[in-house]
Amino acid sequence: MGWGVTGTLLSGMAVWGGVGWLLDQWWDTRVFFPVGVILGIAVAIYVVVVKYGAVDPHPGSRSSHTPGGRGSRSRTQKGQR
């Protein structure tokens, strides 16, 4: 998973930085390369959070969901609802 995150971050910077560099060469400017790199980092972080953000609970920990996916009833003291 670590290599996937690293590859996603590096490829985001490379792709969008490359697009910015190409725009700079085409329009003879110097602003799009840094903007492309920053945009690439932002998009890559978003992709990493969406793809790897959900962490599975530890096998021994308690969960409020049953194996079927339904939420279990909360445990209350006797006489309370």
Side-chain angles (χ1 to χ4, degrees):
M1 181 167 51
W3 286 110
V5 170
T6 303
T8 302
L9 291 173
L10 289 176
S11 64
M13 289 180 1
V15 168
W16 288 103
V19 169
W21 181 80
L22 287 173
L23 287 174
D24 280 341
Q25 295 299 314
W26 186 27
W27 290 331
D28 197 27
T29 60
R30 300 184 78 180
V31 71
F32 290 107
F33 176 69
V35 170
V37 170
I38 292 170
L39 179 67
I41 292 171
V43 170
I45 289 173
Y46 174 76
V47 168
V48 166
V49 168
V50 167
K51 189 172 183 180
Y52 300 107
V55 178
D56 294 332
H58 295 292
S61 66
R62 289 186 158 204
S63 174
S64 65
H65 292 288
T66 60
R70 297 184 316 190
S72 61
R73 287 188 169 182
S74 61
R75 300 179 192 269
T76 60
Q77 291 183 346
K78 195 173 185 177
Q80 294 180 348
R81 290 192 174 225

